[in-house]
Amino acid sequence: MKVAVIGAGYVGLTTSACFAHLGHDVVCADLDVERVARLNKGEVPILEDGLPELVAEGLASRRLRFVLGATNAVLDAGVVFLCVQTPESADGSADLSFVEDVAREIAGVLQPGTVVVTKSTVPVGSTRFVQRVLSESGARAEDVTVASNPEFLREGQAVHDFLHPDRIVIGCDDPGAAVRVSDLYRKVQSPVLVTDPASAEMIKYASNAFLATKVSFINAIANLCEAVDADVREVALGMGYDPRIGFQFLQPGPGYGGSCFPKDVAALLHTANQADSDFELLAGVIQVNRAQRERIVEKITNGAGGSLSEAVVAVWGLTFKAGTDDLRESSALAITRRLLEQGAAVRGYDPAAGERAAREVPGLDIAADPYEAAAGADVVAVLTEWDQFRWLDFDRVRDSLRNPAIVDARNLLDPAAMRRYGFRYDGVGRR
Ligand code: UGA
């Protein structure tokens, strides 16, 4: 089946390369001339495990190609996936203008029988909104069906998650169209859940909001552990053995970030407010996340001796989590900005996104490695859990610091070992 994918970002690119890998003919469209040209040469602009290999495989087999503009992609497609961005508006709602623009552009050229699928994270009601925009713009309702097929891809593991999903959710009122979409995944082992469109859209938001709630919950427990002299790592382990709770997403840290959780939690809260449905719990999740960033700033201030003005802070890790080069809504970057605002000199190191971080945060110096970042600093802050930070020569780090203090916002390091090296160590929720 011919598949068109509109948008060559994280989701669109992964979707395109994986569908080509599964044997479909895929045309992926983007508006960025340079991005399209580079992709056609096999140059993948994002850090995503396994993606360059799948793009190369797709180009070599001619099952994957990249074109400029949505119209060129959809001409003879049977299924069209909308994977364009839905950024957060000023009021917290998801901005659907990119989705709307694409729907208007392609309405007149879709083949009869095409299924248009929203994969971008779109608010409840968007599937029907897209159907309406398509009809208004010249697509006949009896010819074009719209479905929702939300993605559950983690950045850094998106290819794995696409090919080994926990579930495939298809929201569509037309069973025939739902079967056509599910058929694209026939080589993938996974439960397939067919629902009405609104429920599919809600599944996506509820899943991300629930995971964000777990993160805020364990951050709140970590803070309480500090107050009562308990260790959150033991607590999370003891909780996780209960299969109703599970081990995942119980890592305390500097607060969740990325292009999804902050935006999606805000959008769900906005939806609840619009619907006059009380969801104080979500407001609390956002509040805990904000406070957690401040709490890490306080720990760094203490590590630097009580004041940030005149202090030199070494920041290890700038991306929103390890294994990605994505800086969007990164807690590490938000904390870095706060440190600079409060008068600290900040020298950062990140294995994947240092130079870009320096362009985004005026005043941030970037070092070539973690040692250079630490040299002469008053405190080191581990803000992203890159594995390489575990395996450093800590004698060298200690000797180069002006003051041997480490704030480990990811609980990456062993507190006892760090104290043996002679550091003042402060983690999150650890004794
Ligand atoms: C998230 C979801 O996990 C995916 O299922 C979803 O498809 C995706 O959003 C999306 O909506 O597109 P992602 O944004 O890649 O994926 O990041 P996660 O791995 O979920 O981590 C989110 C944030 O929570 C990161 O800042 C991470 O450091 C933080 N986190 C996660 C913790 O602080 N503690 C944990 O135990 C887990």
Side-chain angles (χ1 to χ4, degrees), residues 55-336:
V55 169
E57 177 195 280
L59 291 171
S61 65
R62 296 178 189 278
R63 282 199 300 268
L64 176 62
R65 65 202 167 84
F66 298 92
V67 297
L68 201 59
T71 305
N72 291 325
V74 304
L75 287 174
D76 55 355
V79 181
V80 177
F81 285 89
L82 305 184
C83 300
V84 294
Q85 66 271 48
T86 52
E88 187 176 336
S89 310
D91 63 359
S93 63
D95 174 359
L96 281 181
S97 55
F98 294 95
V99 173
E100 182 174 353
D101 288 350
V102 172
R104 289 205 190 285
E105 183 187 334
I106 63 175
V109 287
L110 293 173
Q111 297 298 311
T114 304
V115 188
V116 174
V117 186
T118 52
K119 218 178 215 329
S120 308
T121 301
V122 289
V124 179
S126 299
T127 303
R128 295 202 199 293
F129 168 77
V130 171
Q131 183 92 57
R132 205 175 58 239
V133 173
L134 287 170
S135 310
E136 282 169 12
S137 311
R140 295 182 350 157
E142 57 274 31
D143 282 349
V144 177
T145 316
V146 184
S148 160
N149 173 217
E151 51 85 14
F152 303 99
L153 310 175
R154 288 164 298 175
E155 277 183 26
Q157 285 144 283
V159 168
H160 173 272
D161 288 351
F162 192 100
L163 297 174
H164 307 277
D166 298 315
R167 76 294 209 191
I168 292 163
V169 174
I170 300 167
C172 189
D173 288 329
D174 174 344
V179 168
R180 290 187 70 190
V181 177
S182 72
D183 215 32
L184 293 172
Y185 294 95
R186 64 183 175 278
K187 291 191 185 156
V188 168
Q189 292 272 324
S190 164
V192 176
L193 184 64
V194 177
T195 71
D196 61 280
S199 300
E201 290 158 348
M202 183 56 93
I203 286 169
K204 167 69 192 194
Y205 278 101
S207 301
N208 271 3
F210 187 77
L211 293 171
T213 303
K214 268 186 112 174
V215 174
S216 275
F217 184 85
I218 201 66
N219 281 335
I221 291 287
N223 297 339
L224 194 50
C225 282
E226 287 179 12
V228 300
D229 203 21
D231 187 329
V232 72
R233 304 249 300 188
E234 309 288 358
V235 175
L237 192 64
M239 289 167 68
Y241 276 112
D242 183 334
R244 293 171 301 174
I245 298 174
F247 294 106
Q248 296 192 47
F249 278 74
L250 289 182
Q251 280 285 345
Y256 60 75
S259 65
C260 306
F261 282 12
K263 170 171 79 76
D264 293 353
V265 175
L268 187 57
L269 185 59
H270 184 268
T271 302
N273 291 339
Q274 294 285 89
D276 259 332
S277 173
D278 173 56
F279 210 157
E280 273 303 296
L281 175 64
L282 267 193
V285 168
I286 295 171
Q287 172 50 29
V288 168
N289 201 53
R290 215 176 279 140
Q292 191 66 10
R293 292 177 173 180
E294 284 306 313
R295 204 174 161 90
I296 300 300
V297 173
E298 272 169 39
K299 282 174 180 285
I300 296 170
T301 311
N302 291 338
S307 164
L308 285 174
S309 61
E310 313 279 301
V312 179
V313 181
V315 162
W316 288 353
L318 293 160
T319 51
F320 82 96
K321 64 174 186 179
T324 174
D325 58 358
D326 199 341
L327 294 165
R328 285 175 290 176
E329 287 292 322
S330 163
S331 290
L333 223 52
I335 290 166
T336 299

